[in-house]
């Protein structure tokens, strides 16, 4: 599960935003492929082992950077917040992969779309950020769409869907912590702590779940999960360096397209009409909220 982060920077041109949008689409295509391989591997390996392998895609480049630049990349005055962000990243990844072992990929992706609405809610409650009526309406509609996808109390409900909700909540908390960190620490420091803390946290229980691969294809697929997870992170960061976060945000909804396509091709799963209805409500609410933020930015430029 991955979504664009708000990174402050120079105003990008329409051409840059278009290029960034294309790179972001490629990032989400790669991330959906990683999630598909992770789901496939849960039939053979414990999900916690797969989560740990996935984090290697972020951990290995950080270790290389640490060897080249030394401990300076870990210099911070906000270490507790950095460690909290890393713990939330590990929790979010673990809950998501544990969930998709039982939940169709497209359904899981649709549920994670509530993350921006959770960020709005938590931003108002924790950071005391002002939230207008329009954004509250978007939050309400977004949660309504999520309930349609989850359908608690109906026969199609699977308890593992609650793990996907927990993953979205942890990811939203991670975004709130990121906002608190953005003014004080460079991005490389935040990424380094996220990789180190989440990897260490996931390593602790690993001996209880570890199983050695018995076939070459298993080794290849585990390596691909780590490699493509790292590639996806690189593409996402690169996209946000090219274009503005607000202009790129709608690209996250392509995850439903990729997830549905991968899910149908690999697992024979196709979202039912209720999933499409709920996802449509969530996406429409998200686009409405994004447009409100864009209009507000024009009225009050930084």
């Amino acid at each position: 599960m991955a979504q664009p982060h708000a990174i402050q920077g120079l105003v990008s041109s329409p051409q840059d935003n278009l290029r960034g949008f294309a790179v972001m689409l490629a990032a989400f295509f790669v991330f959906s492929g990683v999630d598909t391989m992770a789901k496939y591997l849960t039939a053979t390996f414990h999900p916690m082992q797969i989560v740990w392998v996935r984090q290697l895609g972020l951990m290995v480049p950080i270790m290389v950077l640490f060897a080249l630049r030394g401990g300076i990349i870990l210099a911070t005055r906000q270490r507790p917040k950095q460690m909290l962000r890393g713990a939330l990243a590990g929790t979010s990844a673990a809950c998501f992969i544990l969930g998709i072992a039982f939940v169709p990929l497209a359904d899981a992706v649709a549920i994670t779309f509530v993350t921006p609405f959770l960020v709005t809610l938590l931003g108002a409650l924790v950071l005391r950020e002002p939230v207008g009526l329009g954004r509250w309406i978007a939050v309400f509609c977004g949660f309504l769409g999520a309930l349609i996808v989850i359908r608690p109390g109906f026969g199609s409900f699977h308890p593992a869907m609650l793990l996907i909700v927990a993953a979205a909540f942890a990811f939203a908390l991670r975004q709130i912590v990121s906002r608190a960190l953005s003014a004080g620490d460079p991005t490389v420091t935040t990424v380094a702590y996220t990789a180190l803390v989440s990897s260490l946290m996931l390593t602790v229980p690993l001996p209880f779940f570890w199983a050695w691969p018995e076939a070459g294809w298993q080794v290849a697929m585990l390596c691909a999960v780590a490699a493509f997870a790292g590639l996806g992170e690189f593409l996402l960061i690169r996209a946000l360096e090219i274009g503005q976060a607000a202009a790129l945000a709608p690209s996250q909804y392509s995850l439903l397209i990729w997830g549905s396509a991968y899910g149908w091709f690999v697992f024979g799963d196709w979202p039912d009409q209720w999933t499409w209805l709920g996802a449509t409500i969530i996406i429409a609410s998200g686009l409405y909220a994004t447009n409100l933020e864009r209009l507000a930015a024009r009225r009050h430029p930084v």
Side-chain angles (χ1 to χ4, degrees), residues 46-68:
H46 194 281
M48 292 300 295
Q49 179 174 345
I50 300 169
V51 178
W52 182 83
V53 170
R54 189 185 191 283
Q55 290 302 106
L56 286 181
L58 186 58
M59 184 64 180
V60 171
I62 290 300
M63 294 305 295
V64 172
L65 189 60
F66 185 83
L68 294 175

Side-chain angles (χ1 to χ4, degrees), residues 189-227:
T189 298
T190 299
V191 173
Y193 272 97
T194 296
L196 290 170
V197 174
S198 62
S199 295
L200 178 61
M201 182 181 76
L202 294 168
T203 299
V204 172
L206 191 62
F208 299 99
F209 305 116
W210 183 266
W212 289 103
E214 298 178 354
W217 70 265
Q218 294 174 340
V219 175
M221 190 169 287
L222 287 169
C223 291
V225 166

Side-chain angles (χ1 to χ4, degrees), residues 36-277:
T36 302
M37 288 187 287
K39 180 176 175 63
Y40 188 83
L41 286 167
T42 57
T44 308
F45 301 99
H46 194 281
M48 292 300 295
Q49 179 174 345
I50 300 169
V51 178
W52 182 83
V53 170
R54 189 185 191 283
Q55 290 302 106
L56 286 181
L58 186 58
M59 184 64 180
V60 171
I62 290 300
M63 294 305 295
V64 172
L65 189 60
F66 185 83
L68 294 175
R69 297 180 55 180
I72 188 65
I73 65 172
L74 298 178
T76 178
R77 295 181 180 178
Q78 306 181 86
R79 186 165 286 110
K81 291 180 182 177
Q82 290 285 10
M83 295 180 70
L84 174 60
R85 186 184 190 277
L88 289 170
T91 300
S92 178
C95 287
F96 184 77
I97 293 183
L98 283 166
I100 62 173
F102 307 98
V103 176
L105 198 56
D107 289 20
V109 169
I111 295 170
T112 64
F113 286 163
V114 302
T115 296
F117 306 113
L118 289 172
V119 171
T120 297
L121 181 63
L122 291 171
L125 296 177
V126 178
L127 301 180
R128 304 298 181 185
E129 295 178 342
V131 179
L133 177 61
R135 291 180 68 188
W136 281 123
I137 292 174
V139 168
F140 174 78
C141 292
F143 284 123
L144 177 62
L147 287 176
I148 292 175
V149 175
I150 298 172
R151 299 190 289 283
F154 292 85
S156 60
F157 172 75
H158 193 291
M161 288 183 173
L162 297 179
L163 287 170
I164 307 299
V165 174
F169 186 76
F171 194 88
L173 282 174
R174 170 183 163 184
Q175 297 292 80
I176 295 299
V177 176
S178 297
R179 290 182 180 178
L181 289 168
S182 61
D185 290 338
T187 301
V188 65
T189 298
T190 299
V191 173
Y193 272 97
T194 296
L196 290 170
V197 174
S198 62
S199 295
L200 178 61
M201 182 181 76
L202 294 168
T203 299
V204 172
L206 191 62
F208 299 99
F209 305 116
W210 183 266
W212 289 103
E214 298 178 354
W217 70 265
Q218 294 174 340
V219 175
M221 190 169 287
L222 287 169
C223 291
V225 166
F228 282 103
L231 174 61
E233 290 287 349
F234 169 78
L235 290 172
L236 188 146
I237 293 172
R238 181 59 185 147
L240 289 167
E241 290 174 346
I242 298 172
Q244 292 175 285
L248 305 185
S251 65
Q252 68 180 299
Y253 298 118
S254 68
L255 282 167
L256 185 61
I257 298 174
W258 309 137
S260 298
Y262 278 123
W264 174 76
F265 184 75
V266 178
F267 306 106
D269 295 330
W270 187 253
D272 62 19
Q273 67 272 23
W274 293 108
T275 298
W276 284 114
L277 175 60

